[in-house]
């Protein structure tokens, strides 16, 4: 039986759908964990969006939390493979303790249960945030780029890097593992988080754009590659998944074009982004509100980071979905 953590998130929900659609008759069953009954509705809604309602009942749901060991004991009964997608994504410094507990300690728990239950293979969904930092002579980030602890990193990036260390610990103790480092994942549904917020803000009339660059990837590519790697003999490797390195302006413009709404028209230069995060910080102190724009997100908005996808292309001989074309597909699903 296959276990998927984070099955009520963007990647986990798409992975469940992909696994169910691609499995053969008589193949392994699929179990997913959830924390609250309400969260399952997000995955159900995604199946409905794709008009795959009839497949939803093929999932065996079990209530568990990756930081609650007793609940994991039940979740791991009869499991042979694990896709670990559960994580907290936040760039608010106030969430530091929670992020590290869930992303690092939670991953350590998953690794320990995999080891004690002789799991065949574990696939961990990490992030390009956990890849290394460019040296002076380097221009593009790969799986081999070294992490520099002396450079500033967001709490989220540190938590994903720490989680990867737990995965490698499991590998050293005999567990077969895969680490997947996707770029910014674009996909339908989940409008209150991740790329869904990009679509929502553009529809609401986003005014500003930035010229920072990062790697983007379609959620459909992420799940099919994870599945292909898990069903192969490949083990104990990490793979960066990036379809295109694109500026945030181009992404926002592509979304606006696909949804036929106004494009952002004003360039938010770095000094303005630095000012915005400081204002946001002051407002959070005065009014006690949650941070919406932090120093880390400000820096990311104008940083120009390029990522290589050559390793996974050479390994599986695949081509990625063009992000701008995929945005058009998403817009039709949302219509």
């Amino acid at each position: 039986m296959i276990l998927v953590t984070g099955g009520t998130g963007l990647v986990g929900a798409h992975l469940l759908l992909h696994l169910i659609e691609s499995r053969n008759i008589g193949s392994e069953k699929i179990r997913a964990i959830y924390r609250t009954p309400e969260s399952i509705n997000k995955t159900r809604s995604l199946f409905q969006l794709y008009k795959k309602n009839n497949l939803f009942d093929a999932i065996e749901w079990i209530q568990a939390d990756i930081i609650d060991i007793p609940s994991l004991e039940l979740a791991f009964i009869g499991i042979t493979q694990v896709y670990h997608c559960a994580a907290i994504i936040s760039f608010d410094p106030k969430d530091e303790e929670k992020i590290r507990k869930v992303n690092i300690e939670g991953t350590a728990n998953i690794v320990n249960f995999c080891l004690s239950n002789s799991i065949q293979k574990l696939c961990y969904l990490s992030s390009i945030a956990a890849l290394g930092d460019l040296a002076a002579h380097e221009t593009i980030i790969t799986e081999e780029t070294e992490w520099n602890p002396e450079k500033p990193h967001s709490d989220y990036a540190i938590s994903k890097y720490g989680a990867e260390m737990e995965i490698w610990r499991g590998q050293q103790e005999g567990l077969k593992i895969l680490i997947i480092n996707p770029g910014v994942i674009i996909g339908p549904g989940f409008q209150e988080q991740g790329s869904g917020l990009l679509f929502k803000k553009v529809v609401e009339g986003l005014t500003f754009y930035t010229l920072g660059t990062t790697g983007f990837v379609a959620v459909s590519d992420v799940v099919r590659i994870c599945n292909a790697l898990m069903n192969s003999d490949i083990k104990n490797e990490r793979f960066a998944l990036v379809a295109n390195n694109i500026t945030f302006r181009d992404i926002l413009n592509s979304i606006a074009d696909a949804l036929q709404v106004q494009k952002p028209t004003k360039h938010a230069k770095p000094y303005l982004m630095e000012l915005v995060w400081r204002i946001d910080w002051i407002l959070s102190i005065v009014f006690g509100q949650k941070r919406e724009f932090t120093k880390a997100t400000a820096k990311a908005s104008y940083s120009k980071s390029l990522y290589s996808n050559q390793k996974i292309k050479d390994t599986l001989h695949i081509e990625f979905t063009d992000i701008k074309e995929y945005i058009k597909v998403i817009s039709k699903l949302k219509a």
Side-chain angles (χ1 to χ4, degrees):
M1 180 177 282
I2 296 170
L3 175 65
V4 177
T5 74
T8 57
L10 173 65
V11 177
H14 277 87
L15 178 60
L16 289 170
L17 178 57
H18 179 80
L19 291 174
I20 293 169
E21 287 186 310
S22 61
R23 70 178 182 169
N24 298 318
I25 295 176
S27 62
E28 289 187 295
K29 295 181 180 180
I30 299 165
R31 178 183 295 161
I33 66 174
Y34 70 95
R35 289 193 300 150
T36 64
E38 295 78 17
S39 63
I40 297 178
N41 291 330
K42 294 186 291 185
T43 304
R44 189 191 304 274
S45 296
L46 186 79
F47 276 59
Q48 292 172 345
L49 183 66
Y50 283 105
K51 297 179 173 55
K52 302 290 184 179
N53 310 47
N54 59 312
L55 299 179
F56 183 79
D57 290 335
I59 306 167
E60 178 186 305
W61 291 97
I62 185 167
Q63 191 166 20
D65 192 315
I66 63 173
I67 58 174
D68 179 50
I69 291 177
S71 67
L72 287 178
E73 290 178 350
L74 295 174
F76 268 83
I77 295 175
I79 296 299
T80 56
Q81 289 187 345
V82 177
Y83 293 84
H84 179 32
C85 305
I88 289 182
I89 302 175
S90 174
F91 297 94
D92 188 338
K94 293 180 180 178
D95 291 335
E96 177 184 359
E97 183 177 350
K98 180 169 63 175
I99 291 171
R100 297 198 183 199
K101 184 173 184 62
V102 172
N103 294 357
I104 300 177
E105 182 181 321
T107 299
N109 290 338
I110 294 296
V111 168
N112 292 339
F113 272 95
C114 285
L115 289 167
S116 62
N117 287 275
S118 301
I119 297 302
Q120 295 172 4
K121 192 186 286 189
L122 165 65
C123 179
Y124 173 57
L125 189 79
S126 185
S127 167
I128 55 172
L131 292 176
D133 305 284
L134 290 176
H137 64 284
E138 296 174 319
T139 59
I140 188 165
I141 299 171
T142 73
E143 294 85 353
E144 303 303 319
T145 305
E146 292 188 14
W147 175 276
N148 185 347
E150 299 301 319
K151 289 194 175 183
H153 301 93
S154 68
D155 293 325
Y156 172 70
I158 293 170
S159 75
K160 298 300 278 188
Y161 179 78
E164 287 190 10
M165 294 303 100
E166 293 295 338
I167 300 293
W168 288 119
R169 171 182 64 81
Q171 183 266 325
Q172 292 173 353
E173 295 180 27
L175 179 64
K176 295 177 182 178
I177 62 96
L178 293 165
I179 295 177
I180 308 301
N181 297 92
V184 178
I185 301 172
I186 300 293
F190 300 88
Q191 294 186 6
E192 299 303 320
Q193 62 190 72
S195 64
L197 283 174
L198 288 178
F199 284 82
K200 181 179 179 181
K201 289 185 178 296
V202 171
V203 169
E204 292 174 347
L206 189 63
T207 303
F208 292 93
Y209 65 83
T210 64
L211 295 177
T213 303
T214 193
F216 292 84
V217 64
V219 68
S220 55
D221 284 344
V222 174
V223 298
R224 73 180 174 92
I225 290 172
C226 286
N227 189 27
L229 288 170
M230 285 289 274
N231 289 325
S232 73
D233 294 328
I234 300 165
K235 62 181 180 179
N236 306 336
E237 297 278 355
R238 73 191 306 204
F239 296 93
L241 304 190
V242 170
N244 308 98
N245 292 295
I246 312 174
T247 66
F248 291 108
R249 178 177 63 178
D250 286 346
I251 283 291
L252 296 174
N253 285 348
S254 294
I255 294 173
D257 286 340
L259 298 178
Q260 298 182 336
V261 297
Q262 180 67 39
K263 298 178 183 178
T265 57
K266 298 180 180 179
H267 177 204
K269 296 182 179 181
Y271 75 85
L272 179 59
M273 306 309 284
E274 291 292 319
L275 177 62
V276 170
W277 81 255
R278 287 174 169 83
I279 293 175
D280 184 74
W281 171 65
I282 293 172
L283 291 176
S284 71
I285 294 175
V286 174
F287 297 104
Q289 63 191 35
K290 187 175 179 63
R291 297 290 301 277
E292 294 186 359
F293 197 81
T294 66
K295 183 177 182 179
T297 50
K299 180 182 177 182
S301 72
Y302 58 76
S303 296
K304 299 182 184 297
S305 301
L306 302 177
Y307 298 88
S308 171
N309 60 12
Q310 198 60 50
K311 181 177 178 179
I312 190 64
K313 291 176 73 173
D314 290 344
T315 300
L316 293 183
H317 307 290
I318 62 160
E319 292 297 328
F320 284 89
T321 304
D322 180 79
I323 289 300
K324 294 182 180 180
E325 291 302 314
Y326 189 60
I327 286 173
K328 295 178 183 177
V329 172
I330 294 174
S331 69
K332 292 177 182 178
L333 280 173
K334 298 168 79 69

